[in-house]
């Protein structure tokens, strides 16, 4: 397993950036001391191979009956391709919405009701986009075993949304694991660790002090 190498590379390449004193603003309006751009992982061959290897092993462990790997557009698609290659499995990918031309497809690839699909996304914040992809796949008759991601913030909203949708999900890295490892590697100070932990417990309340 390459967890430590993955984390150190995510930080060293500024794919994960931490700024407790000058927080980032998410699309939802939420203020956060951490910003993650996993799209950048495709630029680093060793890093993306470590991620694919660990994701493939995790998926095989948690979903041994998987027969198809699915990528969630757009950032999940390359990682799904690498994982599918590692597992020697077919691949599909799911768009956010059906095409407005041609055959109007939302899902590209071939699958049947007998296939057992695991969908991959790069990052899960609240789960909205990947849960839409799950719903679209099920609507087309697909059997989705679960969702896998490289990283999740593992917020309470995330857990609630997946529970409400009765969809299982796993992640290579979670926010609490990331914090623990970054503290061990001296990437963050004790006060920064406390601030990052406090945000995770109640993100909206944490951001109020900056308003």
């Amino acid at each position: 397993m390459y967890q430590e190498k993955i984390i150190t590379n995510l930080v060293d390449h500024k794919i994960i950036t931490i700024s407790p004193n000058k927080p980032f603003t998410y699309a939802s309006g939420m203020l956060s001391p951490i910003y993650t751009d996993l799209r950048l992982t495709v630029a680093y061959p060793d890093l993306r191979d470590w991620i694919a290897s660990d994701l493939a092993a995790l998926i095989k462990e948690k979903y041994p009956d998987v027969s198809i790997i699915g990528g969630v557009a757009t950032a999940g698609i390359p990682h799904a391709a690498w994982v599918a290659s590692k597992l020697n499995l077919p691949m599909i990918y799911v768009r956010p919405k059906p095409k407005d031309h041609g055959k109007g497809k939302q899902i590209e690839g071939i699958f049947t009701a007998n296939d057992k699909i695991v969908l991959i996304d790069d990052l899960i914040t609240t789960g909205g986009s990947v849960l839409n992809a799950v719903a679209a796949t099920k609507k087309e008759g697909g059997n989705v075993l679960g969702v896998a991601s490289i990283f999740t913030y593992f917020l309470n909203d995330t857990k609630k949304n997946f529970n409400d949708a009765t969809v299982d999900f796993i992640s290579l890295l979670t926010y609490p694991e990331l914090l623990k490892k970054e503290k061990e590697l001296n990437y963050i100070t004790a006060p920064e660790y406390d601030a990052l932990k406090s945000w995770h417990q109640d993100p909206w309340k944490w951001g109020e002090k900056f308003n």
Side-chain angles (χ1 to χ4, degrees), residues 110-181:
I110 299 170
F111 63 94
T112 71
N114 294 322
D115 281 308
K116 296 177 180 179
I117 302 166
V118 173
L119 293 179
I120 292 178
D121 206 352
D122 64 334
L123 171 68
I124 293 177
T125 305
T126 60
S129 59
V130 74
L131 286 173
N132 286 338
V134 171
T137 306
K138 288 182 175 180
K139 185 179 178 181
E140 295 296 323
N143 176 12
V144 179
L145 293 179
V147 167
S149 68
I150 300 170
F151 181 64
T152 177
Y153 291 116
F154 210 52
L155 301 170
N156 288 328
D157 286 350
T158 315
K159 291 176 259 187
K160 182 180 185 304
N161 290 340
F162 276 87
N163 285 336
D164 288 349
T166 62
V167 174
D168 190 58
F169 86 99
I170 55 175
S171 190
L172 200 56
L173 299 172
T174 67
Y175 185 86
E177 290 168 344
L178 176 72
L179 284 195
K180 181 180 177 184
K181 185 58 68 174

Side-chain angles (χ1 to χ4, degrees), residues 90-108:
M91 179 192 154
I92 61 172
Y93 69 85
V94 188
R95 294 186 178 87
K97 58 183 181 180
K99 289 171 64 176
D100 59 4
H101 58 281
K103 293 184 178 180
K105 286 186 176 181
Q106 185 167 0
I107 302 172
E108 296 291 352

